[in-house]
Amino acid sequence: MPLPLPTLPLRSANLPPPCRSLGSQCRGIPVILRVGALEEGNRSLDHEATWLIGHTQRITFYDLWEDEGELYADAMLHVPCRYLDANGNSARCAAHGFTGPNPRGPHKPSQPRQLAGDRFVVVENRRETVRRLPTPPRLLPVLTSGNPCALAACRTADNLRGAACCRDLQIEIMCTNRQRKLEALVRSRRSPYLCKVERAGDYSIEAEMISACGYLDDDGIGCTLHERRRADGRPAKPDLCSEWPPKKHTLHPGCVFARRGMRST
């Protein structure tokens, strides 16, 4: 168990990062994301990691790795700085006054999560891998009420409607209270794509991101992992995607579960 770091006086969260020029940090920042504790076991961690690496719209995921009883993921957050004022091929930093060519962002490789032939990229035994996850045949017709979210008016903070909870996620960024430049870079990202940054303790900060899940179906609402199972019988879909929102939980505007909760109170 590492010793707590001494708490340093925090500077204003509104101060810009101490950059010296325009650069790739204007478009994105490399971070380490916490997935969970190894004591939770593979069953839980595989679901947590599969859920996390699914949100590829504005996050590039690299290696999963372990250290001191925790599972982490190296990642790049592709959210520009709110101080970047770009105009065609030129740009200006509104915080420091730097001017120059419009900076290129970090490389954003393709990260398909759905492959041909019922193959999907998932996490298994704490490692990213490709598995064939066929849709189970239905032997008898079943009654179904359909996807309750299909016609929901839910929306994320960028006012994009539909499947809000599949495009919005909470992340924990490893950042000690001594890493002031990294924290300033995180806090300077453009809202609402990265926002609600709060220090979780001496070693990490929490934030909310808008980054759509790569397991979304072509309609942008359905989940392609729904009802599929792993070889050991576990659902392929992460557990937390199937849990009902807790009571009095802050929900997206227009969420069908929010209306249902209001009717029951």
Side-chain angles (χ1 to χ4, degrees):
M1 184 73 179
L3 294 175
L5 293 173
T7 302
L8 300 177
L10 292 178
R11 295 174 292 180
S12 170
N14 295 320
L15 288 179
C19 302
R20 296 185 177 181
S21 64
L22 297 173
S24 62
Q25 80 280 1
C26 301
R27 297 286 185 181
I29 48 174
V31 296
I32 297 172
L33 301 180
R34 179 181 179 272
V35 180
L38 298 183
E39 65 182 15
E40 296 175 11
N42 286 354
R43 181 182 181 89
S44 175
L45 285 175
D46 287 352
H47 279 294
E48 292 284 344
T50 297
W51 171 83
L52 180 63
I53 70 164
H55 290 82
T56 55
Q57 182 187 17
R58 292 186 176 88
I59 308 176
T60 294
F61 294 96
Y62 304 115
D63 294 333
L64 288 168
W65 51 279
E66 304 166 11
D67 185 54
E68 295 186 352
E70 301 283 345
L71 181 64
Y72 300 103
D74 291 326
M76 180 70 69
L77 307 183
H78 298 277
V79 180
C81 179
R82 66 172 177 264
Y83 298 110
L84 177 65
D85 183 11
N87 184 13
N89 294 325
S90 61
R92 176 180 180 274
C93 174
H96 299 292
F98 307 134
T99 59
N102 196 350
R104 297 179 60 183
H107 177 56
K108 192 176 187 301
S110 175
Q111 300 177 95
R113 294 304 184 229
Q114 310 170 42
L115 310 177
D118 283 335
R119 294 180 302 130
F120 293 82
V121 177
V122 296
V123 174
E124 194 166 288
N125 295 321
R126 307 192 301 277
R127 292 293 179 267
E128 194 173 305
T129 187
V130 176
R131 288 289 182 262
R132 184 173 178 271
L133 304 170
T135 303
R138 291 189 179 277
L139 302 179
L140 295 173
V142 295
L143 296 176
T144 177
S145 59
N147 182 352
C149 300
L151 301 177
C154 60
R155 64 184 186 275
T156 40
D158 59 350
N159 288 319
L160 188 62
R161 176 172 167 168
C165 48
C166 298
R167 295 185 292 105
D168 204 345
L169 74 158
Q170 300 286 333
I171 56 175
E172 183 177 357
I173 302 169
M174 303 311 297
C175 175
T176 72
N177 54 24
R178 290 180 177 274
Q179 293 177 285
R180 288 178 166 177
K181 181 178 180 179
L182 174 58
E183 183 165 352
L185 285 170
V186 173
R187 291 185 180 276
S188 71
R189 296 304 98 182
R190 189 164 296 167
S191 179
Y193 304 104
L194 194 159
C195 60
K196 299 180 182 178
V197 180
E198 296 182 359
R199 176 152 287 283
D202 290 331
Y203 291 92
S204 67
I205 52 180
E206 295 176 344
E208 182 177 304
M209 275 197 69
I210 296 177
S211 182
C213 182
Y215 297 115
L216 281 171
D217 209 341
D218 292 338
D219 63 3
I221 297 174
C223 176
T224 56
L225 288 180
H226 192 65
E227 294 190 337
R228 299 177 191 265
R229 292 189 172 272
R230 299 170 184 250
D232 60 5
R234 287 184 294 162
K237 190 172 182 177
D239 291 337
L240 60 87
C241 298
S242 301
E243 294 176 353
W244 288 70
K247 292 182 179 180
K248 298 183 179 179
H249 181 68
T250 301
L251 302 174
H252 294 97
C255 175
V256 292
F257 298 109
R259 293 201 300 272
R260 181 174 301 177
M262 289 172 61
R263 288 198 298 267
S264 62
T265 57

